[in-house]
Amino acid sequence: MTTNCDVPSGGADGADAFMASTKPQLVQVEAETRPDFKELKKIEKKRREILLRAELPFWRIIMFWSGTCLKEIASDSLVWLTISIYVGIRIYANRIDYVPESVEMLSKTNIGILGGFLSFFLVLFVNQTNGRFLDMYGFSKACSGRLQDIAGVARAQLPPEVGQKLVRHFNAAHVAGYVGLNAIGMGSPYSKTFFFDHYNADNKLVTPLLTPEELNVLSHHDMDNSGLCMKELVTWCQMDVVQARKDGYLDSYQEKFMHSKILDFRAAMDGMYDYTDQPPHFFYIHFLVLLSALYLPLFAIDTAYAGGWGADKAIGLDILQGIIVFLQCIFVVGLRSLGTKMIDPYGDDLEDLSVINYVEGTLEICATIMGAKQPVKGASASGVTTGLL
């Protein structure tokens, strides 16, 4: 979308000042074009439902439409082109009573060799993207795990106000990290306006995660288009740990342990950013698409010509061969689409990772840890004295 606006005169300085003044407005417009929190929750609910389908009986699995390859195949023009070629040739074959000379020539071709090579590269592609997908899932869960590690030590070792400050800074870094993914790769549906601000104001841990003063300090970062806000918040966490050590709440071993967990969190976030920034090579993907675009029409022609001519024609055989062509389309286009879907697991597809589930689960666990209380030593219940272990 383009808009007409008057750029003030004054040379480069005037243009720079104009761009600086309009940048916040452009960022706000970009953020608002992404899904709001209600829509994100709707997508998340559907994702969780799809995950539960994996163990259903086959007759129930085959009846689904969303989250399946059928939806992708139905909208793929190459599939319809392939089927149209097959149907067109078979209609022509049933309208004539002789055998064209081209039938004998095509019988000498061996399209199966190309199909074997394509199958190998498609399976390799899916295997690679599945590995990326699982690695990025591991990074997301590692971030959640390191947050829980820090919350446990903070609750057990630090005064409540000091521990609460550290944990809310750490959770703010977690949420901001997902927002910053929009700066690289294919973008992210998680915006500061509809994602970070929601959890900053409404979470099970503490409200807000960041105070207005802290947000003002971070305002120089464009959270929607940079991971730098997450980086600074992680550094705040390290500074909180150093201050707790100076105040005598931590010894050197505990300080080192907490620093290692914070840096492990940052490394996991960096892994998500690195994978998102470097998808599989376009050369490889173009190679697969080109092979698919050449192979499927050739397969349709080969199968259609092998379906019988003249006196050998049979409607039943035409239908059977047509099903084979369709199955080949499912195999080729389905595998290619599956691999493509797993390249970027932090988008808004139903097959992507459940980011909201990870964030809300981590906030809830941290709230449970920070609110944990043991019975007071010496207190009694039903006449039985209860002591601390």
Side-chain angles (χ1 to χ4, degrees):
M1 180 180 69
T2 58
T3 57
N4 295 325
C5 54
D6 296 329
V7 180
S9 59
D13 293 340
D16 291 343
F18 172 74
M19 292 303 296
S21 65
T22 57
K23 182 177 180 181
Q25 300 174 10
L26 295 174
V27 171
Q28 183 70 11
V29 169
E30 179 186 356
E32 292 176 353
T33 59
R34 285 180 281 173
D36 59 20
F37 190 76
K38 183 178 180 180
E39 182 65 22
L40 290 173
K41 287 289 286 185
K42 182 179 178 182
I43 296 172
E44 186 77 3
K45 181 180 178 181
K46 195 68 175 178
R47 284 175 182 161
R48 304 308 295 179
E49 291 175 356
I50 291 175
L51 289 177
L52 299 177
R53 298 176 184 174
E55 297 183 2
L56 293 176
F58 84 94
W59 58 270
R60 290 190 59 187
I61 290 177
I62 205 169
M63 298 300 294
F64 286 107
W65 175 259
S66 63
T68 69
C69 65
L70 295 177
K71 189 174 182 180
E72 295 297 318
I73 291 169
S75 60
D76 195 291
S77 58
L78 180 59
V79 173
W80 294 108
L81 173 63
T82 302
I83 294 175
S84 299
I85 291 173
Y86 173 81
V87 171
I89 294 175
R90 292 316 301 164
I91 289 176
Y92 174 72
N94 281 275
R95 293 183 63 181
I96 62 175
D97 296 325
Y98 61 92
V99 180
E101 295 180 0
S102 56
V103 174
E104 183 178 355
M105 291 187 294
L106 286 173
S107 65
K108 299 177 182 179
T109 60
N110 189 0
I111 194 68
I113 295 177
L114 179 58
F117 278 111
L118 178 59
S119 299
F120 170 78
F121 287 116
L122 283 172
V123 171
L124 181 63
F125 174 59
V126 171
N127 184 60
Q128 290 175 343
T129 55
N130 183 62
R132 283 171 49 92
F133 186 92
L134 294 178
D135 285 345
M136 296 171 87
Y137 169 74
F139 290 142
S140 290
K141 299 304 288 185
C143 289
S144 177
R146 301 299 75 74
L147 271 160
Q148 296 174 48
D149 294 339
I150 291 296
V153 177
R155 175 64 184 90
Q157 194 68 30
L158 301 178
E161 65 279 3
V162 177
Q164 196 74 260
K165 179 182 178 183
L166 170 60
V167 173
R168 64 182 177 84
H169 284 169
F170 212 2
N171 275 278
H174 188 211
V175 181
Y178 285 113
V179 175
L181 284 171
N182 184 61
I184 56 179
M186 301 178 185
S188 165
Y190 308 105
S191 64
K192 180 182 182 299
T193 302
F194 297 128
F195 191 71
F196 182 87
D197 289 349
H198 171 83
Y199 287 114
N200 188 54
D202 183 13
N203 61 79
K204 298 180 180 180
L205 178 64
V206 61
T207 302
L209 291 178
L210 296 179
T211 65
E213 293 78 12
E214 290 170 335
L215 285 172
N216 185 57
V217 172
L218 295 169
S219 62
H220 63 286
H221 294 303
D222 181 4
M223 189 185 297
D224 279 305
N225 294 285
S226 172
L228 296 179
C229 185
M230 177 270 294
K231 297 282 190 179
E232 181 162 343
L233 283 166
V234 169
T235 304
W236 284 14
C237 295
Q238 293 184 276
M239 295 167 68
D240 291 338
V241 171
V242 170
Q243 188 60 48
R245 171 75 173 91
K246 291 179 179 178
D247 293 339
Y249 301 129
L250 300 172
D251 58 30
S252 59
Y253 175 81
Q254 292 166 333
E255 180 189 17
K256 182 179 179 180
F257 173 81
M258 296 185 80
H259 277 305
S260 69
K261 296 300 180 181
I262 293 171
L263 294 178
D264 286 345
F265 168 90
R266 189 174 69 183
M269 271 289 175
D270 286 343
M272 292 160 50
Y273 278 70
D274 293 342
Y275 271 72
T276 304
D277 186 54
Q278 181 57 64
H281 293 293
F282 174 73
F283 187 98
Y284 188 23
I285 296 175
H286 179 269
F287 172 70
L288 291 176
V289 171
L290 180 61
L291 279 182
S292 302
L294 293 175
Y295 170 72
L296 286 178
L298 288 175
F299 180 81
I301 294 172
D302 186 68
T303 306
Y305 269 84
W309 296 80
D312 295 331
K313 294 178 297 186
I315 296 297
L317 182 59
D318 288 345
I319 295 174
L320 179 61
Q321 295 281 65
I323 293 174
I324 292 175
V325 172
F326 181 64
L327 288 176
Q328 194 73 339
C329 290
I330 292 177
F331 176 77
V332 174
V333 176
L335 281 179
R336 192 192 71 207
S337 299
L338 174 61
T340 304
K341 285 283 186 181
M342 292 189 291
I343 290 176
D344 178 26
Y346 297 111
D348 55 4
D349 293 331
L350 295 179
E351 299 78 17
D352 289 336
L353 293 176
S354 303
V355 170
I356 289 180
N357 180 264
Y358 307 153
V359 169
E360 292 186 350
T362 303
L363 285 167
E364 184 175 6
I365 292 171
C366 288
T368 301
I369 292 173
M370 298 305 292
K373 295 181 180 179
Q374 285 185 321
V376 179
K377 187 175 182 179
S380 60
S382 301
V384 180
T385 301
T386 303
L388 292 174
L389 294 177

